[in-house]
Amino acid sequence: LARRNDVLQRMADQGYIQQATADRTKAMGLGVKSNRYFTARRESYFFDFVKQELIDRYGAETVRRGGLRIDTTLDLRLQKLARKAMDGQLGAPDRAGAIVTIDPKTGYVRAMASSSRYGDSKFNLAASGHRQAGSTFKVMVLMDALRRGVDPNRTSYVSRPLSRGWLPTAPDYEVHTFGRTYGGSMNLVTATLKSDNTVYAQLDADLGPDTVAQTARDMGITSP
């Protein structure tokens, strides 16, 4: 503002504009509204996640000194949609959820949202909440099958309850579908679309859990 007013006064002094014009323009202000859009920390969980990644890679002292420019891949529109997908959908107030959306082509994190609020808890459930993989692990089983030449369209199993003893190497291993409904014979494509636990348990047994575990490691899984 001061620089603009200085330019206006110089223009008036040198006769390019009338003094009245300069005075009137200086009194108008810049016509902009200040806001914190580019300085507000809107996604604190993700901010902390990125900060920890930087510390792990470059060290705490480097990060503490500042001066770094960090461009992230988060999509604020997808963040809102992720939270909206969880709001009121968890079934009970003591349940928590998290969503992470990653672009498989680039590995960019597009959304990292949690049902909890940063003001209530600083724990990032999406990044630090170690839980059983659940149906996500079907991806590892399917990838192992693909690596070994299994055709998902031509490989079928019977969707059925797997009672104790169905797998001799794990006699206490029972498997059911989430809804306790079963679709009979189906190929791996259909089993994937239905997220059928019993079909994938049988596929895992045929492939061998050790090879599936190695495929998971090769895909970047580091947890036990």
Side-chain angles (χ1 to χ4, degrees), residues 62-76:
T62 298
V63 176
R64 191 178 297 112
R65 282 200 305 266
L68 303 176
R69 169 175 169 166
I70 310 301
D71 296 315
T72 68
T73 58
L74 205 68
D75 186 321
L76 295 179

Side-chain angles (χ1 to χ4, degrees), residues 69-144:
R69 169 175 169 166
I70 310 301
D71 296 315
T72 68
T73 58
L74 205 68
D75 186 321
L76 295 179
R77 182 183 66 85
L78 293 181
Q79 281 288 92
K80 291 181 180 179
L81 291 175
R83 277 194 288 269
K84 184 178 179 181
M86 290 182 285
D87 286 345
Q89 302 298 319
L90 299 178
D94 61 340
R95 294 180 182 176
I99 294 176
V100 177
T101 302
I102 298 175
D103 186 336
K105 294 181 181 179
T106 60
Y108 291 170
V109 177
R110 295 303 189 186
M112 179 183 286
S114 173
S115 61
S116 56
R117 300 293 181 254
Y118 192 79
D120 298 329
S121 172
K122 302 300 185 290
F123 182 78
N124 186 347
L125 184 63
S128 305
H130 297 285
R131 301 289 191 272
Q132 290 183 348
S135 289
T136 303
F137 208 79
K138 290 185 175 75
V139 175
M140 320 308 176
V141 181
L142 182 59
M143 179 59 72
D144 190 56

Side-chain angles (χ1 to χ4, degrees), residues 1-31:
L1 182 62
R3 182 175 297 178
R4 185 210 62 176
N5 290 346
D6 182 58
V7 170
L8 287 169
Q9 188 57 53
R10 288 184 184 183
M11 293 175 67
D13 293 343
Q14 296 175 17
Y16 290 104
I17 60 175
Q18 296 292 323
Q19 183 63 51
T21 302
D23 293 340
R24 184 171 62 253
T25 305
K26 285 189 286 185
M28 291 172 61
L30 292 177

Side-chain angles (χ1 to χ4, degrees), residues 149-157 186-189 199 203:
V150 174
D151 185 341
N153 289 293
R154 301 178 63 182
T155 304
S156 299
Y157 291 89
M186 63 179 69
N187 64 18
L188 296 181
V189 174
V199 168
L203 175 62

Side-chain angles (χ1 to χ4, degrees), residues 180-196:
R180 303 290 176 129
T181 57
Y182 305 92
S185 180
M186 63 179 69
N187 64 18
L188 296 181
V189 174
T190 301
T192 302
L193 293 173
K194 292 180 176 293
S195 193
D196 193 296

Side-chain angles (χ1 to χ4, degrees), residues 137 141 161-176 196-206 209:
F137 208 79
V141 181
L162 302 176
S163 304
R164 292 186 180 185
W166 75 273
L167 189 62
T169 56
D172 293 331
Y173 182 29
E174 270 182 42
V175 186
H176 302 279
D196 193 296
N197 299 333
T198 66
V199 168
Y200 264 90
Q202 295 174 77
L203 175 62
D204 176 74
D206 285 345

